[in-house]
Amino acid sequence: MAKIAVLGYGTVGSGLVEVLERNSAVARKQAGEEVLVKYILDLRDFPGDPYEDRVIHDYNIILNDPEVSVVCEAMGGVGAAYQFTKQALEAGKSVCTSNKELVAKHGAKLLGIAAQKSCNYMFEASVGGGIPIIRAINTSLVTERIEEITGILNGTTNYILTRMEREGADYGQVLKQAQELGYAERNPEADVEGWDTCRKIAILASLVTGKNVDSEKIHTEGITGISGADFAYAEAADMTVKLLASCRFNEDGSVRAMVAPFMISRDHYFAGVNDVFNGILVAGDMVGEVSFGGRGAGKLPTASAVAADVVNCVRSRGRNISCTWKPEEVRLEDPGESERRFFIRASASERGAVEKAFGEGTGFVKLPEGGGEFGFFTPVMKEKDFDEKCSALGAAVLSRIRLA
Amino acid sequence: MAKIAVLGYGTVGSGLVEVLERNSAVARKQAGEEVLVKYILDLRDFPGDPYEDRVIHDYNIILNDPEVSVVCEAMGGVGAAYQFTKQALEAGKSVCTSNKELVAKHGAKLLGIAAQKSCNYMFEASVGGGIPIIRAINTSLVTERIEEITGILNGTTNYILTRMEREGADYGQVLKQAQELGYAERNPEADVEGWDTCRKIAILASLVTGKNVDSEKIHTEGITGISGADFAYAEAADMTVKLLASCRFNEDGSVRAMVAPFMISRDHYFAGVNDVFNGILVAGDMVGEVSFGGRGAGKLPTASAVAADVVNCVRSRGRNISCTWKPEEVRLEDPGESERRFFIRASASERGAVEKAFGEGTGFVKLPEGGGEFGFFTPVMKEKDFDEKCSALGAAVLSRIRLA
């Protein structure tokens, strides 16, 4: 029998206990032995909860209990979560988590300790919720030179953009709805500013390169600047807008990474990834493009991914099977050098200046009701050149979105 | 250094050698040691081939060489391929393959031998080509009660249906094109009659149930009866036609499995899976629906999946980590009992009789040019009741397609 401890009895922690309880027979069969939650660490008590008797407040009980072989960190944050994870690994206990912030910040170090101590640090749930993308990279796409990963990696922003598209509503209005429905947090910055997405793509890029990709150095833009008007133009051009994370792996070992809203064709795979769903495309040199989709967030899908890690830790007790990435920093390419087309919305009175700045592009999009403005698709150009031209045009440019 | 042998130097075998050669650095890093192709077994010689010196004709050399730890069976068929696989496993050598026919027919037995001999029988490439679906089921969705798997699992038929849809062409015409392009074999029965798809869904269903699903007992229909006219009606109804394999896992341990063309909405995930691509939806009780897509066939994608199995065999040398399924037969539900809606095309002169037989359904679809016939969507009904009504209508029914 494998005994585990759950740190934090919030959404993910209680979901994990629920998954392991409801599907205990499946977990037992797959792990080769019963998987039992022995402790739940939380500051609070949970009178009346069916697991009330497992709740403890002192982490040392877990650390000092040789029966506990796997610790699930469902606390969040990079403070106590980091200390507890480090201590567990140093004690030879495997740790499973959905804490992308911690993995992005201290993954290299924690994986190193796990390797030393012949245990595992697993974080399938940290990217793509219930989508098994991390294990796919670590165990399936293992004879591929991975060239590029692109993804919709945040359910909250994808939900907001989907609503904006379908209802023609503006950002603020939809955010408020999403908060009321519990799809967005009261402090939504980590989602809507793209930070959560950025941590996730940094984790995937670190796995692929085997080195550390510093999420704080990835060029990141959120969705707060996207308006209903942008969607109206997108629709007129048979396109839509999605918050995409992408990383391209160059032959010289450098990485081109970015998180930003992109305008994409309605035929594109990502145009079919809506609401709280996530989607990920991985391009390998042999296999071509492989896609993965599913619920990128939510209590049970996330908990399911943590539970799968627990089963894999139990299966491989005493052996380090997880990936590693070295603390060495990956060189990130200057985003100003990347080339693409762009969409801009501009004041109708400045049409001449826009055309002069960007050349012919692929022509203008004029909406019936868009009297005072127009949309314009630029030719392919460098980010830095585009920025320079936009700066020169000043207030004439109302909004700008990259084309994928 | 891990030394491997490749049985059969055809498309998949030579692709495998190519993947391991071109991406030898990746494979070495992921396997933890170099992966070297020591022998290539084939009846032919390959003068001038860069691997000419590795080609041998006597399997006993491989069997008796203790250096060879992994054998890749890329011969196909269930004759010599079965004998060689069995012998390798009995000698404690792991076997990797893309041979879905062999896995579907003798998987239970071969997995049993692998478990006994502490080696592995792996067949990621047997379903979905380069899509890592088998490892996802075996190692990721391991705390899920999997409720249903549905997939487009055959690239040839999906290519044919996609061409028929896009070009308004008839089946025979597109098949001929596909054969000329090498997308369909000269003897296309295994693909177009659905047998290949059927073996693949039987493998997935066996993995999920842990028991043997007899592919020969799965109700299987191919695409040879689908016409350009069917696609014209589908288009008029904003739908398309796909060859789907599905299996539903009942609480009582029985399985509802079927391979047949289905008419699906254009909004459906599978409507976006086109050409030679495959797509698979797995529904779990905790994670919800997870999707997997990619190239379901082709030399390098298939070889990449075999190569990934090789790396996993090397990583786990001396340990059985692969799944097992018991020889015990799974009970397949009577397909006549399943309920759904259907599309039929019928003679215009028989409209009264059709309406009498099926009631109102969701109304008629009449194409401008379809003077002598009409399309009709039935209400939800049992397969057996639908069959009975169609039999009674006789020649009035021109074609019939299930709705998904």
Side-chain angles (χ1 to χ4, degrees), chain B residues 101-131:
Chain B
E101 197 181 351
L102 183 57
V103 178
K105 199 173 167 85
H106 296 299
K109 169 145 196 158
L110 296 169
L111 286 166
I113 300 172
Q116 265 176 15
K117 299 290 180 178
S118 296
C119 58
N120 291 289
Y121 183 45
M122 290 195 181
F123 39 84
E124 179 63 72
S126 68
V127 183
I131 305 170

Side-chain angles (χ1 to χ4, degrees), chain A residues 82 85-92 106-121 320 324:
Chain A
Y82 174 60
T85 299
K86 195 161 162 282
Q87 289 172 320
L89 294 171
E90 281 168 346
H106 296 298
K109 169 143 197 161
L110 295 169
L111 287 166
I113 300 173
Q116 266 176 15
K117 298 290 181 177
S118 297
C119 57
N120 291 288
Y121 183 46
N320 176 255
T324 48

Side-chain angles (χ1 to χ4, degrees), chain A residues 23 138-139 143-144 291 293 304 312, chain B residues 23 139 143-144 291 293 304 312:
Chain A
N23 284 349
N138 285 338
T139 69
T143 56
E144 292 292 318
S291 64
S304 169
N312 279 277
Chain B
N23 284 349
T139 68
T143 55
E144 291 292 318
S291 65
S304 168
N312 279 276

Side-chain angles (χ1 to χ4, degrees), chain A residues 132-404:
Chain A
I133 180 63
I134 290 188
R135 204 163 280 111
I137 291 174
N138 285 338
T139 69
S140 287
L141 302 170
V142 287
T143 56
E144 292 292 318
R145 206 175 64 70
I146 293 177
E147 295 168 340
E148 191 160 12
I149 299 180
T150 319
I152 294 176
L153 298 178
N154 179 272
T156 302
T157 47
N158 203 39
Y159 173 83
I160 292 173
L161 293 175
T162 304
R163 291 292 112 200
M164 286 176 73
E165 183 192 27
R166 293 195 180 153
E167 292 159 21
D170 245 319
Y171 169 75
Q173 191 183 337
V174 177
L175 172 63
K176 200 158 160 260
Q177 278 175 21
Q179 287 171 318
E180 281 161 12
L181 288 165
Y183 291 153
E185 295 182 38
R186 262 179 302 173
N187 274 327
E189 283 75 18
D191 292 317
V192 300
E193 299 293 357
W195 306 335
D196 173 82
T197 299
C198 172
R199 287 169 192 142
K200 291 170 177 169
I201 198 73
I203 292 171
L204 296 181
S206 299
L207 288 176
V208 169
T209 56
K211 297 178 187 170
N212 199 56
V213 174
D214 184 347
S215 67
E216 292 180 14
K217 290 185 183 148
I218 295 177
H219 180 90
T220 300
E221 300 176 24
I223 62 163
T224 56
I226 304 296
S227 67
D230 293 324
F231 272 104
Y233 284 98
E235 194 184 347
D238 210 20
M239 300 179 86
T240 188
V241 181
K242 293 289 184 187
L243 181 67
L244 298 185
S246 68
C247 52
R248 187 159 181 89
F249 303 95
N250 299 321
E251 299 261 6
D252 68 0
S254 69
V255 170
R256 177 195 299 174
M258 178 178 279
V259 174
F262 279 80
M263 211 179 258
I264 60 171
S265 156
R266 273 184 198 277
D267 293 337
H268 197 288
Y269 169 73
F270 289 126
V273 178
N274 289 308
D275 298 308
V276 297
F277 281 78
N278 283 195
I280 302 156
L281 287 177
V282 182
D285 63 341
M286 298 291 151
V287 78
E289 229 169 40
V290 186
S291 64
F292 301 85
R295 289 175 188 279
K299 177 175 175 165
L300 293 178
T302 304
S304 169
V306 180
D309 279 349
V310 170
V311 166
N312 279 277
C313 285
V314 172
R315 281 181 179 173
S316 59
R317 207 181 312 191
R319 287 196 318 276
N320 176 255
I321 60 162
S322 49
C323 57
T324 48
W325 75 69
K326 294 177 198 154
E328 187 188 332
E329 289 289 324
V330 166
R331 187 168 64 78
L332 290 171
E333 204 183 282
D334 175 5
E337 293 297 325
S338 40
E339 294 194 333
R340 54 170 57 88
R341 296 173 60 210
F342 297 83
F343 165 80
I344 59 171
R345 267 169 56 221
S347 303
S349 58
E350 302 295 332
R351 181 170 163 157
V354 167
E355 207 161 14
K356 195 170 164 205
F358 292 107
E360 290 204 355
T362 46
F364 290 87
V365 184
K366 198 164 179 326
L367 297 185
E369 64 277 26
E373 57 173 70
F374 64 94
F376 179 74
F377 294 100
T378 73
V380 173
M381 57 200 310
K382 285 197 175 174
E383 288 256 349
K384 62 179 186 186
D385 296 336
F386 176 76
D387 288 347
E388 203 172 285
K389 285 174 197 290
C390 284
S391 295
L393 287 166
V397 175
L398 305 171
S399 78
R400 33 198 279 188
I401 305 178
R402 292 169 180 85
L403 260 64

Side-chain angles (χ1 to χ4, degrees), chain B residues 152-159 190-191 196-197 200 243 277-278:
Chain B
I152 293 176
L153 299 179
N154 179 273
T156 303
T157 46
N158 203 40
Y159 173 81
D191 291 319
D196 173 83
T197 299
K200 291 169 176 169
L243 181 67
F277 281 78
N278 283 194

Side-chain angles (χ1 to χ4, degrees), chain A residues 50-61:
Chain A
Y51 293 89
E52 172 181 16
D53 60 320
R54 325 265 173 104
V55 176
I56 59 169
H57 310 298
D58 178 4
Y59 183 50
N60 286 311
I61 295 171

